[in-house]
Amino acid sequence: MKIAVVGTGYVGLVSGACLAEFGHRVVCMDKLAERIDFLRQGSIPIYEPGLDDLVARNVEQGRLSFTTDLAEAMADARAIFVAVGTPSVRRGNGYADLSYVYQAAEEIAANLVQDYTVVIDKSTVPVGTARQVQRLIAKANPRAVFDMVSNPEFLREGAAISDFMRPDRVVVGSGSQRAFDVMREIYNPLYLNGTPIVETTLETAELIKYAANAFLAVKISFINEMANLCEAVGADVKPLAKAVGLDGRIGGKFLHPGPGYGGSCFPKDTLALLRIAQEHGSTSRLVEAAVEVNAAQKGRMIKKIRDALGGSEAGKTIGVLGLTFKPETDDLREAPALTILPALSEKGAALQVHDPQGMREAAKIMPECRYLDDPYAVATGADALILMTEWNQYRALDLQRLRELMAQPLFIDLRNVYEPVMMREAGFTYIGVGRLQGA
Ligand code: NAD
């Protein structure tokens, strides 16, 4: 099947490359000429493990191409995926900014000239958006023969390809059997391998995405609260999380305390869910609390660092390992580092930092930091070392070398990568999140 993908960011590019790998002919379209030029030259504009090989293979085999021309992308396409951004409206109280979605819809409407086409919304959008897009296209182009589908994406950055190729489930919302049939053809390899496919209405599909992300955000905020409680009562969150997570009804994933969730999805999607509830005269007090706990957690981390430095970070040199919101991505959107580091620097700390993929982008946002090439350079002369993101390359640091390079052997592990006893034996003052010192 010929498929067009509108928006070639994290989701559009990964989806396009994976759909090509399934055997479809895919044209990825984006308005950013720079991005398309880059891709045409064989470069990948984002860091996502395995994506360069996947794209190269499918381009070489003639199944994947890139364009800035929507008419070219849509020619003969039976399915058009919309994967444009839906950020929070700036100072908009959490509302999702749908301007990119509606603009894409207008442009798609103008180019819907061929036979029956399925327009598939892959972006995360508030309930009712797909139906609104349907109305908008029908009004702009009354002759268009099309159906609307909501097919939210659940991939995680850093594991995006395997998440797309081997998802826990695929959600397809529509009011049309003909559209469901096209979706089955698109996802045929997943139907064949028994992947659960949830077919439902447009509105339910849209809400499923927000509900899933909100649940995960609640889970993270819950374990962060438990970590804080552990610190208050003198308990250890690591065995607590393990034991709690071993209950099959709870599950051990997403029970790792840390500096709070970030990224391009959870922060904006939880806020959008709250706005959706509010607009419909409903509430979601659990999600409200998760958002509040998450904001407070970043503040707690700043205080934790300040207290460890004797009450003030002024004049101190702080080394920071990791900036991105999680490992294996270059995405810095809403990363806790973007809240925590400026707060420390404002109070007079000198920051020297490292991240395997995030430094180029971070330098634009936080010019006050010194960007260094490796973790040991970051430790040199530091009064404290903060492990902010659990990249694999920070998991087996040469502790003796670190300690010798540092001005003070203070290690603040915001991801609980290391064990308190081992760090104490290596000569560090070690502070984790919710960890018992003797553990
Ligand atoms: P992104 O910002 O990386 O990419 C969006 C792309 O769309 C940009 O390249 C932009 O230039 C392009 N674009 C905007 N308007 C356009 C138009 N009219 N025509 C063509 N291109 C246009 O965004 P993303 O991270 O890929 O997210 C896309 C959507 O998927 C969002 O709704 C997001 O919430 C959702 N989502 C993201 C993830 C993730 O991990 N990033 C996971 C699941 C769902």
Side-chain angles (χ1 to χ4, degrees), residues 26-351:
V26 181
V27 182
C28 285
M29 180 269 167
D30 204 287
K31 293 207 137 170
L32 287 178
E34 213 177 76
R35 176 161 288 200
I36 294 300
D37 284 347
F38 209 63
L39 283 159
R40 281 181 161 166
Q41 286 157 23
S43 306
I44 304 290
I46 55 173
Y47 175 74
E48 180 61 42
L51 189 57
D52 43 2
D53 287 346
L54 187 72
V55 168
R57 185 168 60 246
N58 282 282
V59 167
E60 201 185 296
Q61 294 175 2
R63 289 189 300 267
L64 180 62
S65 60
F66 304 99
T67 184
T68 51
D69 181 353
L70 184 62
E72 180 193 323
M74 282 176 56
D76 303 324
R78 187 119 60 88
I80 298 156
F81 280 88
V82 179
V84 300
T86 51
S88 288
V89 176
R90 218 175 266 258
R91 288 186 285 279
N93 222 5
Y95 283 99
D97 178 355
L98 295 176
S99 57
Y100 301 101
V101 172
Y102 290 144
Q103 200 191 346
E106 300 266 5
E107 290 159 1
I108 289 168
N111 287 285
L112 269 180
V113 286
Q114 65 269 39
D115 298 339
Y116 179 70
T117 312
V118 178
V119 178
I120 304 150
D121 176 40
K122 217 172 212 338
S123 300
T124 304
V125 292
V127 179
T129 305
R131 220 167 271 279
Q132 181 62 21
V133 167
Q134 190 168 26
R135 278 194 289 268
L136 199 153
I137 295 177
K139 189 166 171 224
N141 183 352
R143 291 171 55 191
V145 185
F146 75 104
D147 273 316
M148 214 44 224
V149 164
S150 167
N151 171 220
E153 182 49 56
F154 297 93
L155 64 78
R156 295 161 301 166
E157 289 173 18
I161 294 168
S162 61
D163 282 353
F164 194 97
M165 305 285 252
R166 288 178 289 282
D168 292 334
R169 78 304 209 185
V170 173
V171 173
V172 180
S174 184
S176 148
Q177 190 51 49
R178 201 172 173 192
F180 282 128
D181 292 343
V182 171
M183 296 307 287
R184 279 180 195 213
E185 203 178 321
I186 292 174
Y187 286 112
N188 194 38
L190 302 182
Y191 275 87
L192 291 177
N193 76 9
T195 302
I197 314 269
V198 179
E199 292 185 347
T200 180
T201 63
L202 286 173
E203 286 75 12
T204 309
E206 288 171 331
L207 192 55
I208 286 170
K209 173 67 191 176
Y210 284 110
N213 272 359
F215 190 89
L216 293 170
V218 167
K219 205 169 175 189
I220 295 175
S221 280
F222 176 82
I223 198 64
N224 281 338
E225 272 200 331
M226 289 305 116
N228 300 339
L229 189 53
C230 281
E231 287 178 10
V233 303
D236 193 329
V237 76
K238 207 144 187 180
L240 179 142
K242 185 175 176 191
V244 169
L246 282 168
D247 184 325
R249 295 168 301 177
I250 296 173
K253 289 184 182 159
F254 266 65
L255 281 183
H256 304 287
Y261 59 75
S264 67
C265 291
F266 291 170
K268 80 171 172 66
D269 292 349
T270 44
L271 291 180
L273 177 66
L274 294 177
R275 294 289 84 84
I276 293 167
Q278 194 186 41
E279 277 192 341
H280 290 80
S282 184
T283 55
S284 178
R285 289 171 60 197
L286 273 178
V287 179
E288 255 169 49
V291 170
E292 276 169 32
V293 168
N294 197 58
Q297 189 71 359
K298 295 179 202 167
R300 280 186 73 95
M301 296 302 111
I302 296 165
K303 184 171 181 312
K304 189 184 267 292
I305 295 162
R306 182 171 298 147
D307 290 349
L309 284 164
S312 167
E313 59 271 50
K316 299 283 170 46
T317 298
I318 301 178
V320 180
L321 301 177
L323 300 168
T324 52
F325 79 99
K326 66 172 180 181
E328 297 301 328
T329 181
D330 58 354
D331 200 342
L332 275 165
R333 288 179 279 186
E334 302 284 336
L338 301 187
T339 305
I340 296 170
L341 301 196
L344 298 173
S345 147
E346 241 166 57
K347 296 277 178 184
L351 301 171

Side-chain angles (χ1 to χ4, degrees), residues 364-380:
K364 296 182 204 158
I365 310 168
M366 299 185 293
E368 67 272 26
C369 298
R370 276 180 72 209
Y371 294 87
L372 301 172
D373 285 341
D374 78 277
Y376 299 98
V378 162
T380 304

